[in-house]
Amino acid sequence: MTTFMPSFRSLDELQAIQLDGLKWTVDHAYSGSEIYRKKLKDVGYTPGSIKSLDDLQSLPFTTSSDLAEGYPFPLLSVPLKDVVRLHASSGTTGKRKVLCYTQKDIDDWTHMFARCYEMADLTREDRVQICVGYGVWTAGAGFQLGCERFGALAVPAGPGNLEMQIEFLMDFESTVLCCTASMGLLLAEEVERRNVRHLIKLEKMVFGSERSSEAMRSRIRALLNLKDMFDIPGMTELYGPGTGLECRAHDGIHYWADYYILEIVDPETLQPVADGEIGEMVVTTLSKEAVPLIRYRTRDLSAAKPGVCPCGNLLPRHDRILGRSDDMFIVRAVNIYPGQIDSVLSGLAGIGSEYQVVLQRSEGKDIMNLRVEAELGLEPSSFPEKAALVRESVKRKILVTPEVEIVPYGSLPRSERKTKRIIDMRQE
Ligand code: ZN
């Protein structure tokens, strides 16, 4: 079978590929984009001056405001006649980002996405029902092109419409479903409600655009008895979804380090953090033509996973995405990310998924109040015991001791969009 995995056989070989790509990328951006040229000149860069991967540290960061300034074709580093497509992000914060692609960029992205299906152990016999948004967004096009390049059968169903999705699952005997985790759960419940599990052949789900919580996965697994489920990371700035995937070992996300370099930095100091520590993901592309990225600050938080994966694949790994660096807060000189609190709470019995952090200052000292919902049905008499459990777990894993209050299920505010969980009442 054709493989979409890279051919390097050691980390030295990977680093040689990265160095070549880095040299090409920086010179290409310098000659192709006035904005990049100015940024690079400001740090004293001259073409050809990259000699080792360590030289990456001397390059300037790029941020989403660089993409906003050049709207509608920011950081474009090739003539427009070489651009064959554009995609836009949904713009959850501020104006939407528009990114251009050359034909080679599309081919590279397609190859990366085909690699995702290979990493998820699909075969050409698989039938892939793609229930994500088609249009100017990167999702539909990415899932579709990658599936066809891989050689499986694509069923471009689009999002929503559970009635049609279930009909397709039965008629086309789809074996893989690509969707958001929320939709996966809705669909699983609908299959259960109609009692049609025995009529469908579904084996795997691939979740894009929203990370799946452990609770969601175990519910879907229980309802559909799936062989496997995978989160697919990705962002429009970096091609789109498909730039990495969990493998069957489910011990972190392999990322395609032959297409981009990933740095993890402290979002405050911008210095690299130690292996395994949480920081902001910063990406530098190695062969992207239309809009190369040089040290692009993604704002997503994760950690590098040291060592070789149990699956044996040499592609490096990062942890699951733990939230956004914009959401970080500091208590008694400790950086805390909401994702860390999520992960502590999700491991505790009797505790729900909703919580609220209220930060106050008293006599010059930070106080962190953590209000956590009990699980549905938990007796109020056991709230104090659960509060002590949460306090100890947060203290042990995050190194700050909060004041904890357990509140009844359903009493904290919920939002269909992003729920505001951090309320900072400290005076500057
Ligand atoms: Zn692996």
Side-chain angles (χ1 to χ4, degrees):
M1 193 172 105
T2 330
T3 179
F4 297 92
M5 292 296 166
S7 57
F8 65 84
R9 288 155 303 172
S10 68
L11 290 183
D12 285 347
E13 282 185 28
L14 170 60
Q15 284 175 356
I17 294 169
Q18 291 184 326
L19 181 57
D20 280 349
L22 180 63
K23 287 177 177 171
W24 177 84
T25 295
V26 183
D27 286 349
H28 169 70
Y30 186 96
S31 62
S33 152
E34 214 168 294
I35 294 173
Y36 265 134
R37 190 154 53 242
K38 179 172 183 321
K39 284 170 77 82
L40 288 163
K41 274 185 177 167
D42 284 349
V43 297
Y45 177 84
T46 51
S49 65
I50 298 245
K51 301 293 178 215
S52 81
L53 285 177
D54 292 337
D55 294 333
L56 180 62
Q57 300 299 319
S58 65
L59 299 176
F61 286 94
T62 312
T63 66
S64 58
S65 56
D66 292 309
L67 292 175
E69 276 163 29
Y71 186 87
F73 303 124
L75 301 179
L76 188 64
S77 302
V78 298
L80 257 176
K81 68 173 170 49
D82 294 338
V83 173
V84 300
R85 193 194 296 172
L86 66 75
H87 278 292
S89 74
S90 48
T92 43
T93 50
K95 198 161 179 70
R96 67 173 46 109
K97 299 172 190 124
V98 181
L99 278 299
C100 290
Y101 299 68
T102 64
Q103 186 57 54
K104 179 178 189 300
D105 294 336
I106 297 288
D107 290 344
D108 284 351
W109 181 29
T110 305
H111 184 94
M112 280 187 267
F113 217 123
R115 183 184 291 176
C116 292
Y117 291 118
E118 183 175 342
M119 184 68 95
D121 293 323
L122 268 65
T123 72
R124 299 186 64 184
E125 305 297 314
D126 273 300
R127 301 175 186 183
V128 184
Q129 190 160 321
I130 302 169
C131 323
V132 301
Y134 280 78
V136 78
W137 329 120
T138 46
F143 278 95
Q144 175 84 26
L145 290 171
C147 180
E148 291 168 357
R149 174 76 59 90
F150 179 75
L153 169 65
V155 180
N161 201 344
L162 288 186
E163 184 73 38
M164 182 189 77
Q165 303 292 357
I166 289 180
E167 194 182 308
F168 284 2
L169 282 174
M170 295 196 290
D171 293 356
F172 304 145
E173 303 186 339
S174 309
T175 52
V176 180
L177 197 86
C178 303
C179 56
T180 62
S182 308
M183 180 167 164
L185 183 58
L186 275 178
L187 200 93
E189 286 170 344
E190 190 60 18
V191 167
E192 160 89 353
R193 202 179 62 77
R194 298 183 185 206
N195 192 22
V196 292
R197 179 64 185 103
H198 62 290
L199 299 175
I200 64 175
K201 299 256 169 78
L202 199 58
E203 293 180 346
K204 290 172 187 169
M205 282 193 184
V206 180
F207 302 124
S209 89
E210 146 192 74
R211 79 196 154 107
S212 56
S213 68
E214 221 21 78
M216 272 170 147
R217 283 194 192 204
S218 56
R219 179 96 180 110
I220 294 172
R221 187 177 287 116
L223 288 169
L224 293 179
N225 189 26
L226 294 181
K227 274 191 189 157
D228 222 338
M229 283 171 269
F230 304 90
D231 274 348
I232 199 163
M235 67 187 75
T236 310
E237 299 94 307
L238 183 61
Y239 298 93
T243 48
L245 197 81
E246 304 178 61
C247 65
R248 71 189 91 87
H250 297 288
D251 187 18
I253 292 169
H254 287 279
Y255 65 92
W256 309 158
D258 50 338
Y259 283 96
Y260 62 99
I261 295 173
L262 173 67
E263 296 172 85
I264 311 271
V265 305
D266 183 312
E268 295 283 298
T269 66
L270 300 182
Q271 294 302 308
V273 300
D275 248 9
E277 269 178 39
I278 299 171
E280 180 176 330
M281 301 168 81
V282 170
V283 293
T284 300
T285 56
L286 299 173
S287 52
K288 204 161 176 272
E289 293 182 335
V291 187
L293 297 180
I294 297 176
R295 306 194 85 194
Y296 180 72
R297 295 187 57 187
T298 67
R299 308 284 166 181
D300 282 334
L301 297 166
S302 189
K305 280 224 158 223
V308 175
C309 183
C311 79
N313 194 308
L314 285 182
L315 280 161
R317 293 168 299 155
H318 61 77
D319 216 328
R320 300 178 81 180
I321 312 280
L322 295 164
R324 308 269 303 163
S325 64
D326 307 332
D327 300 332
M328 182 188 85
F329 56 96
I330 301 175
V331 176
R332 290 171 230 154
V334 178
N335 294 358
I336 303 178
Y337 309 107
Q340 289 177 286
I341 299 180
D342 280 340
S343 104
V344 171
L345 296 181
S346 68
L348 301 177
I351 300 297
S353 62
E354 296 304 307
Y355 66 91
Q356 201 174 56
V357 173
V358 181
L359 300 169
Q360 287 167 309
R361 185 163 288 159
S362 163
E363 294 170 5
K365 216 178 144 205
D366 288 336
I367 312 285
M368 175 173 160
N369 294 288
L370 179 57
R371 305 175 73 206
V372 185
E373 277 189 11
E375 214 172 62
L376 185 62
L378 186 81
E379 287 297 327
S381 58
S382 53
F383 285 8
E385 175 205 325
K386 292 294 173 194
L389 176 69
V390 170
R391 186 167 53 242
E392 283 311 303
S393 305
V394 171
K395 182 183 168 189
R396 199 171 59 245
K397 301 219 176 103
I398 304 182
L399 308 177
V400 167
T401 311
E403 303 287 330
V404 181
E405 184 192 358
I406 305 289
V407 297
Y409 176 83
S411 55
L412 290 178
R414 284 159 168 68
S415 161
E416 282 185 22
R417 296 178 64 81
K418 211 177 152 189
T419 306
K420 185 169 168 55
R421 301 182 190 280
I422 314 296
I423 299 163
D424 197 341
M425 299 168 71
R426 297 174 293 187
Q427 305 287 324
E428 284 306 315

